[in-house]
Amino acid sequence: MIRTFLCSLSISLAGLFTQAVQAQVKPAKAAGDTSIKQISADTSASRTLIRPTTAAPIPPEKDSIYVTGGGLRLGIDISRFVIHFFQPYRTDVAIQGDIRVSKKIYAAAEVGYNRTSHSDSNYSYKGNGVYALIGADYDFLKKKDPNEKNMVYLGMRYGFARNTYEAPFYSIRNNYWDSEQPGSFPKTNMTAHWIELTFGMRVEALPNFFLGWALREKIMLSKSSPEGFNPIVIPGYGSGSKNSQFDMTYTISYYLPLYKLRINETKRLNKKKKKEELK
Amino acid sequence: MKYISGIIAILLLSVFVACEDETKTCDQALISDLGINFKKDTLNGYLVKDTLWPKVTLRAIGQDSLLVNRQPRSSIFLPLDPRNDTCRFYLRLDSIAIPDTLTFRYKRNPSFVSAGCGFATFFSIDTVITTYNTIDSLHINNKEVNSSNDTHISLFFIY
């Protein structure tokens, strides 16, 4: 268990690092190209020294309000299909969506379905359920171009799941008493509530076509499963007996540009200006 | 092309996260066994120490096979009868000691342990009755016998 976790953690950090490096390369190049312009900016500064009266009254507010694209990004989580390959008893489908609310904040939601089915000589288990996640992402990628849609984000989600499960057959064997007792657990309904903390990236690989991954830490708040019969899988959460769960998603999504978002940066620029003045 | 290394890392990671098939392994050796440890009581309860008996013999009354056969033990684990609400055990602590009988009354709850272990009978102890031939006193620490390997009962001896 611990070895698996450490291994996955190290690989995730390695993956994260490579991705971060790649993300850094692009803006760095752009900065390299504009380096000449920066020098010209310096020369303009010297020009302002010559003509201070004309440059000073032009306020930066005019440029600080701009219009950029807003839209809905809809995607499917393909890591769920990989899970099915390693845990054949699990079948999951997850659809993610997010919309841009402001410059850095995205409202995010996810819905999904899980079916769990397992059968061996000791017991059989059937379960299915749905879940929903709702929350927000904060994009902290500094953008050179205001229309750039790539994002590196931290997010938080509230999760809710409803699950129906049963054990149509089980058998309890006891070697010492030489007994074998068959039985069954009837259909049980349960609900679960949890919080997810996420860190991830969404990168525009083709126009309007995104690839994204995310690391998730899920913390169970409450679940209503009866004592003595926890579900094997809680939809959207994972193992039914654990109080916290680490997960990883990989999403392919498509961006629908639906509306224009007016971004007013007057406040931010004014703050910046004040800071500079204080210096 | 830029993201290929990233994609490979992610796929590898998802493999490591996902590769645990929980139905394949049962990580618990003792499922719902009742644990008993032995305590030596000197100075009227002021000094209690763990103790080891040199030749412990244990079997359930009504069963022929022995659970422990003349072995040195400081603790024992009893499988309670999953077919009845009561069961009795024969416990002889030393070859020269007079044997004791432990009687248990309990409620049985079939429970799901884990995906790998399947189901087991958990017990909720109601009453424990013992003879006091070698045993001086008995203390119930935990009434719930489930998959946590607990010490449910302490037996105290004065010698």
Side-chain angles (χ1 to χ4, degrees), chain A residues 193-265:
Chain A
H193 306 263
W194 70 93
I195 292 285
E196 280 188 26
L197 303 172
T198 70
F199 169 79
M201 271 183 174
R202 296 192 186 102
V203 177
E204 193 170 14
L206 294 168
N208 289 342
F209 183 76
F210 284 78
L211 297 176
W213 59 261
L215 305 174
R216 295 182 176 198
E217 180 61 31
K218 306 173 186 195
I219 301 149
M220 183 60 81
L221 296 176
S222 78
K223 60 181 177 199
S224 69
S225 53
E227 210 177 303
F229 191 34
N230 271 329
I232 295 181
V233 174
I234 295 173
Y237 179 78
S239 177
S241 53
K242 288 177 186 157
N243 283 327
S244 75
Q245 179 96 60
F246 179 74
D247 199 4
M248 153 96 223
T249 62
Y250 193 82
T251 312
I252 293 176
S253 45
Y254 192 77
Y255 177 81
L256 304 162
L258 295 176
Y259 53 89
K260 294 279 175 207
L261 200 71
R262 208 178 98 114
I263 289 166
N264 190 340
E265 291 210 284

Side-chain angles (χ1 to χ4, degrees), chain B residues 121-141:
Chain B
T121 308
F122 289 174
F123 305 94
S124 172
I125 293 173
D126 190 44
T127 318
V128 185
I129 301 162
T130 177
T131 56
Y132 296 102
N133 297 326
T134 313
I135 298 166
D136 178 65
S137 61
L138 176 150
H139 185 255
I140 302 174
N141 303 317

Side-chain angles (χ1 to χ4, degrees), chain A residues 3-257:
Chain A
R3 210 189 302 156
T4 317
F5 176 73
L6 286 176
C7 196
S8 63
L9 195 75
S10 61
I11 288 181
S12 73
L13 287 174
L16 206 144
F17 182 73
T18 52
Q19 283 280 21
V21 164
Q22 282 167 355
Q24 288 299 313
V25 164
K26 209 174 161 188
K29 265 183 188 170
D33 291 333
T34 53
S35 60
I36 308 154
K37 277 178 195 169
Q38 275 176 358
I39 298 159
S40 72
D42 285 337
T43 53
S44 76
S46 66
R47 219 180 291 155
T48 50
L49 283 173
I50 304 159
R51 296 180 291 173
T53 44
T54 47
I58 300 165
E61 279 85 3
K62 247 188 181 177
D63 296 322
S64 62
I65 300 171
Y66 60 90
V67 172
T68 182
L72 171 68
R73 188 166 16 210
L74 270 180
I76 187 156
D77 183 356
I78 58 165
S79 66
R80 301 299 102 177
F81 306 122
V82 179
I83 283 181
H84 179 70
F85 186 71
F86 290 97
Q87 298 179 323
Y89 53 94
R90 269 182 80 165
T91 311
D92 296 80
V93 180
I95 290 165
Q96 294 179 0
D98 67 295
I99 50 169
R100 195 171 182 180
V101 177
S102 69
K103 192 193 168 203
K104 286 182 180 267
I105 294 170
Y106 294 72
E110 181 179 332
V111 287
Y113 170 81
N114 163 271
R115 197 183 68 219
T116 308
S117 170
H118 176 71
S119 174
D120 61 27
S121 57
N122 289 324
Y123 70 99
S124 64
Y125 176 97
K126 271 185 209 165
N128 67 76
V130 288
Y131 73 94
L133 292 172
I134 190 150
D137 291 331
Y138 179 82
D139 179 14
F140 57 87
L141 184 70
K142 275 188 181 161
K143 286 164 184 163
K144 288 281 165 193
D145 173 10
N147 289 323
E148 185 189 328
K149 293 190 285 274
N150 297 340
M151 63 190 284
V152 179
Y153 62 91
L154 274 173
M156 203 166 163
R157 310 261 193 285
Y158 161 75
F160 172 82
R162 209 191 123 79
N163 192 19
T164 305
Y165 59 107
E166 62 177 318
F169 154 81
Y170 70 76
S171 155
I172 300 173
R173 233 168 270 144
N174 190 315
N175 290 330
Y176 183 70
W177 292 93
D178 197 24
S179 72
E180 190 165 343
Q181 291 170 298
S184 69
F185 258 100
K187 242 181 198 170
T188 311
N189 290 315
M190 62 95 65
T191 53
H193 306 263
W194 70 93
I195 292 285
E196 280 188 26
L197 303 172
T198 70
F199 169 79
M201 271 183 174
R202 296 192 186 102
V203 177
E204 193 170 14
L206 294 168
N208 289 342
F209 183 76
F210 284 78
L211 297 176
W213 59 261
L215 305 174
R216 295 182 176 198
E217 180 61 31
K218 306 173 186 195
I219 301 149
M220 183 60 81
L221 296 176
S222 78
K223 60 181 177 199
S224 69
S225 53
E227 210 177 303
F229 191 34
N230 271 329
I232 295 181
V233 174
I234 295 173
Y237 179 78
S239 177
S241 53
K242 288 177 186 157
N243 283 327
S244 75
Q245 179 96 60
F246 179 74
D247 199 4
M248 153 96 223
T249 62
Y250 193 82
T251 312
I252 293 176
S253 45
Y254 192 77
Y255 177 81
L256 304 162

Side-chain angles (χ1 to χ4, degrees), chain B residues 34-39 48 50 104 125 128 137-145 150-156:
Chain B
L34 180 117
I36 297 179
N37 66 356
F38 303 148
K39 299 263 186 191
V48 177
D50 287 339
F104 298 94
I125 293 173
V128 185
S137 61
L138 176 150
H139 185 255
I140 302 174
N141 303 317
N142 183 0
K143 287 191 167 191
E144 300 305 318
V145 183
D150 244 355
T151 303
H152 302 90
I153 290 170
S154 293
L155 292 180
F156 293 89

Side-chain angles (χ1 to χ4, degrees), chain B residues 90-110:
Chain B
Y90 166 95
L91 175 66
R92 188 180 184 140
L93 294 149
D94 200 352
S95 49
I96 49 156
I98 308 162
D100 275 300
T101 305
L102 290 158
T103 308
F104 298 94
R105 287 187 193 144
Y106 44 83
K107 285 193 194 77
R108 291 167 290 157
N109 312 304

